[in-house]
Amino acid sequence: MIPVHYYLILSAVMFITGVVGVLTRRNAIIIFMCIELMLNSVNLTFVAFSSYLGNEAGQMFVFFVMAVAAAEAAVGLAIVIALFRNKQTVNINEVNILKW
Amino acid sequence: MELTILFYVFAALTIIPAFVVVFSRSLIYAAFSLLFTFLGVAGLYVLLSADFIAVAQIMVYIGGIMILLVFGVMLTKQATDVEISTGIMKTLPALIVVGFALGTLIMVLTGASWTQIGTIPQIEGTALELGELLMTTFVLPFEVAGILLLVAVMGAALIARKPKEVQS
C-alpha cells in the first residue's frame, strides 16, 4: 500500500498552492477557487487518515466540510454578484469602502 | 505497484491544474482546470477506498460548486478581462512565507514514522457504515448541516436578487 505521507505531502502542496492564490490574486472569483482548493486538500488529509486508521469518522467530517463548502460557495458568489452590481468590478483592491 | 502508478497519475491530475488555477491569467481557464483538480481528488478518494465520499465529491463539487463558479465567472465579465497583476512587492513576501510553511510541513511529514493501524473493509463499500454513523453518532450535526444549507440558500437568493425599488 502507498505510504500515508505521500497523500499528506500532496495535500500540503495543494493547500500551499491555495494560500499562494489567495495572497497574490486580486480577483474575487479566483480567490473563491483557491479557497475550494484549500478545503479539498483538507478533505484529502481527513480521508487519508481515516483510511489508514480504519475508522470512518474522518469521512463523516469530510461530508460536513462539503456541506459547509457548498453553503459558502452559494453565499460567497451571491456576495460577489451583489458587489459587481454595485461597483462594476470584482477586483478586491477596488472594494475598500469599509477601509478606515 | 499499479496502485503507486495510479497515485502518481491522480496526483498529477490534482496538482498541475491547481497551479493553472493560481497562475493562469484567464478566468475561464482557471475555472475549467479546477474541474480537473476535483476529478483528481475524487480519484484519490477511490484509491483510499472511500467510495461514497468520491461520489459525493463528484456530485457536490463538479455538479454544484463548479457550475456556480462558472456562472459567477460569466456574470461578472469585465470589459478588461486581463487582470492587472499584483506587484512584486506583494508577491515576494507571500512566496517567502508559504515557502517556509511548505518546507516545514514536508520536513515534519517525511520525518515522522507513520504506521498503519487498520484498514477499512473493502467488500461492500463505505456507504452502509457512513449511513449508520450519520443516523446515530452524528445525527445532531447532520440536522444542523441541513438547517445551515437551508439558511445559506435563502440568504444567497436574498443577497443576489435585484434590490426592490422603493414604492413612493
Side-chain angles (χ1 to χ4, degrees):
Chain A
M1 213 161 163
I2 306 156
V4 67
H5 65 264
Y6 283 27
Y7 291 103
L8 301 181
I9 288 172
L10 175 67
S11 93
V13 172
M14 215 169 132
F15 189 87
I16 293 294
T17 313
V19 174
V20 170
V22 169
L23 288 179
T24 58
R25 299 300 298 265
R26 297 280 75 122
N27 187 313
I29 295 185
I30 296 273
I31 290 176
F32 264 112
M33 294 179 192
C34 295
I35 291 171
E36 297 299 334
L37 271 183
M38 289 195 273
L39 285 169
N40 257 286
S41 75
V42 173
N43 281 353
L44 185 59
T45 309
F46 264 127
V47 174
F49 275 130
S50 146
S51 172
Y52 282 76
L53 192 63
N55 185 346
E56 275 103 354
Q59 300 187 15
M60 238 35 258
F61 278 89
V62 173
F63 194 71
F64 293 122
V65 169
M66 277 181 185
V68 174
E72 173 256 338
V75 175
L77 280 163
I79 290 174
V80 168
I81 286 170
L83 185 70
F84 186 74
R85 184 182 295 130
N86 284 329
K87 294 194 71 117
Q88 301 299 316
T89 181
V90 286
N91 187 329
I92 59 168
N93 278 346
E94 296 171 29
V95 184
N96 51 10
I97 51 174
L98 277 183
K99 218 178 203 173
W100 185 52
Chain B
M1 197 59 224
E2 292 88 3
L3 276 183
T4 315
I5 295 169
L6 265 181
F7 172 79
Y8 281 120
V9 169
F10 283 130
L13 189 62
T14 306
I15 280 298
I16 295 169
F19 283 121
V20 175
V21 170
V22 173
F23 296 112
S24 146
R25 293 283 120 193
S26 157
L27 263 179
I28 202 80
Y29 281 4
F32 277 101
S33 49
L34 198 63
L35 192 145
F36 289 104
T37 301
F38 291 157
L39 268 181
V41 173
L44 289 170
Y45 289 164
V46 173
L47 277 188
L48 286 164
S49 68
D51 53 344
F52 180 75
I53 294 295
V55 174
Q57 162 93 5
I58 289 177
M59 275 167 43
V60 172
Y61 276 99
I62 298 175
I65 292 177
M66 200 57 232
I67 302 296
L68 270 181
L69 279 172
V70 172
F71 268 118
V73 169
M74 287 172 178
L75 285 175
T76 59
K77 183 120 175 115
Q78 282 157 297
T80 56
D81 206 14
V82 181
E83 187 181 349
I84 302 148
S85 64
T86 326
I88 191 78
M89 291 305 289
K90 283 181 184 168
T91 310
L92 201 61
L95 286 180
I96 290 171
V97 169
V98 299
F100 271 118
L102 182 64
T104 314
L105 272 176
I106 287 183
M107 204 173 70
V108 170
L109 292 180
T110 50
S113 60
W114 302 102
T115 49
Q116 181 167 6
I117 294 179
T119 50
I120 292 174
Q122 302 185 2
I123 307 150
E124 57 218 3
T126 55
L128 181 66
E129 287 83 2
L130 284 182
E132 276 179 9
L133 277 177
L134 205 57
M135 282 294 126
T136 53
T137 316
F138 293 97
V139 65
L140 181 64
F142 180 64
E143 300 292 339
V144 172
I147 294 174
L148 172 78
L149 281 172
L150 174 70
V151 172
V153 168
M154 281 162 46
L158 191 70
I159 292 171
R161 71 171 183 187
K162 200 185 273 279
K164 209 187 287 178
E165 281 89 21
V166 181
Q167 305 279 334
S168 60

